[in-house]
């Protein structure tokens, strides 16, 4: 596995990291000054995104350390398990074949623990999610800067209310993107416990996974737009 670049949490040094991704209250205020209100909302959205990235970067630290320790144990167990029987076979070290088999067993146990607890996959998901949040945050910062420049130079199109609505739409789309990233990472974590046709985690919380969509519930092809379905012709009554 290639060495991942060291990523530091984006928060302030010495700032405590929240134990959970709990949201902060939505800032309520007076819209008499729309510019100040929009700046406050932007700082609220940005702080939530930074806190989310910081949580994932802090959560992956202990997972990475444990995963690397187990991987090293697996490698050492395989190497010792292959070398000790050869030394016993060549007569260099007598009676070491049994220790080689024990080393192989310990190496397999380390690998099984890594897979069972999802340590390697967990810290990789944490890094990937934090990087995705940071990429979207950079895009938001540039979009917000362009909106601010447009406001300073003067609105060339639309009214002030439309400009404020456009800014609110930028903030809302960004918040929805970050929420979707967290939801996707949580879904991947739940799928790791898949056993059989349905994930155990979904079964434990009483959630049934969505069934794959079929072409059409009646087995027919959908009609083209603008056409009306033809009613089936009824058989005329027989003459008595």
């Amino acid at each position: 596995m290639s060495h991942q670049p060291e990523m530091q949490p984006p928060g302030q040094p010495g700032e405590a990291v929240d134990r959970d991704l709990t949201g902060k209250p939505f800032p309520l205020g007076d819209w008499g000054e729309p510019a100040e209100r929009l700046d406050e909302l932007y700082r609220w959205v940005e702080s939530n995104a930074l806190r989310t990235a910081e949580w994932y970067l802090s959560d992956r630290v202990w997972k990475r350390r444990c995963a690397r320790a187990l991987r090293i144990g697996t490698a050492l167990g395989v190497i010792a398990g292959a070398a000790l029987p050869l030394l016993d076979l060549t007569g260099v070290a007598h009676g070491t074949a049994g220790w080689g088999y024990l080393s192989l067993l310990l190496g397999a146990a380390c690998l099984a623990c890594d897979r069972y607890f999802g340590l390697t996959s967990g810290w990789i998901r944490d890094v990937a999610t934090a990087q995705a949040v940071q990429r979207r945050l950079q895009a938001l910062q540039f979009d917000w800067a362009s909106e601010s420049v447009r406001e300073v130079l003067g609105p060339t199109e639309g009214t002030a209310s439309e400009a404020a609505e456009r800014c609110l739409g930028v903030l809302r789309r960004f918040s929805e993107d970050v929420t979707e990233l967290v939801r996707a990472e949580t879904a991947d974590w739940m799928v790791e416990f898949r056993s059989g046709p349905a994930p155990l985690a979904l079964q434990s919380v009483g959630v049934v996974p969505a069934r794959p969509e079929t072409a059409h519930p009646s087995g027919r092809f959908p009609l083209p737009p603008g056409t009306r379905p033809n009613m089936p012709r009824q058989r005329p009554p027989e003459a008595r």
Side-chain angles (χ1 to χ4, degrees), residues 36-88:
E36 297 180 0
R37 192 79 182 96
L38 289 174
D39 290 339
E40 183 182 359
L41 290 178
Y42 170 77
R43 289 192 298 269
W44 177 75
V45 171
E46 185 182 32
S47 63
N48 286 339
L50 291 174
R51 189 167 53 89
T52 301
E54 181 180 6
W55 187 89
Y56 278 106
L57 291 178
S58 301
D59 182 67
R60 56 100 194 187
V61 173
W62 68 271
K63 291 181 181 179
R64 184 187 62 177
R65 293 174 180 173
C66 296
R68 286 183 174 179
L70 292 176
R71 292 283 179 171
I72 292 175
T74 301
L76 293 178
V78 171
I79 293 174
L84 292 178
L86 292 178
L87 294 177
D88 187 17

Side-chain angles (χ1 to χ4, degrees), residues 16-150:
V17 181
D18 294 338
R19 294 181 177 270
D20 200 359
L21 291 177
T22 55
K24 295 183 178 180
F26 188 82
L28 300 177
D30 185 14
W31 281 94
E33 297 292 337
E36 297 180 0
R37 192 79 182 96
L38 289 174
D39 290 339
E40 183 182 359
L41 290 178
Y42 170 77
R43 289 192 298 269
W44 177 75
V45 171
E46 185 182 32
S47 63
N48 286 339
L50 291 174
R51 189 167 53 89
T52 301
E54 181 180 6
W55 187 89
Y56 278 106
L57 291 178
S58 301
D59 182 67
R60 56 100 194 187
V61 173
W62 68 271
K63 291 181 181 179
R64 184 187 62 177
R65 293 174 180 173
C66 296
R68 286 183 174 179
L70 292 176
R71 292 283 179 171
I72 292 175
T74 301
L76 293 178
V78 171
I79 293 174
L84 292 178
L86 292 178
L87 294 177
D88 187 17
L89 183 62
T90 56
V92 176
H94 296 284
T96 56
W99 292 104
Y101 301 143
L102 180 60
S103 299
L104 284 177
L105 180 61
L106 292 177
C110 290
L111 182 60
C113 289
D114 184 24
R115 294 292 182 86
Y116 180 78
F117 293 106
L119 297 176
T120 299
S121 59
W123 75 265
I124 290 178
R125 285 199 318 270
D126 289 342
V127 172
T129 306
Q131 290 178 346
V133 172
Q134 290 178 350
R135 286 196 302 268
R136 283 163 174 77
L137 181 58
Q138 290 177 356
L140 171 67
Q141 291 170 346
F142 281 104
D143 291 341
W144 193 259
S146 64
E147 292 292 339
S148 300
V149 170
R150 181 184 303 179

Side-chain angles (χ1 to χ4, degrees), residues 158-232:
T159 60
S161 61
E162 293 177 354
E165 185 177 358
R166 185 170 59 250
C167 294
L168 289 175
V170 171
L171 297 178
R172 179 178 179 178
R173 286 192 298 270
F174 173 77
S175 299
E176 292 176 352
D177 289 343
V178 173
T179 304
E180 179 63 22
L181 287 174
V182 176
R183 187 207 63 81
E185 191 276 332
T186 305
D188 292 342
W189 173 74
M190 296 174 67
V191 168
E192 285 191 357
F193 297 94
R194 183 185 300 273
S195 176
L200 290 178
L202 296 180
Q203 294 177 0
S204 63
V205 298
V207 180
V208 180
R211 295 182 297 177
E213 297 182 357
T214 56
H216 196 266
S218 61
R220 301 178 181 178
F221 294 100
L223 295 175
T227 59
R228 300 178 59 185
N230 296 326
M231 298 297 294

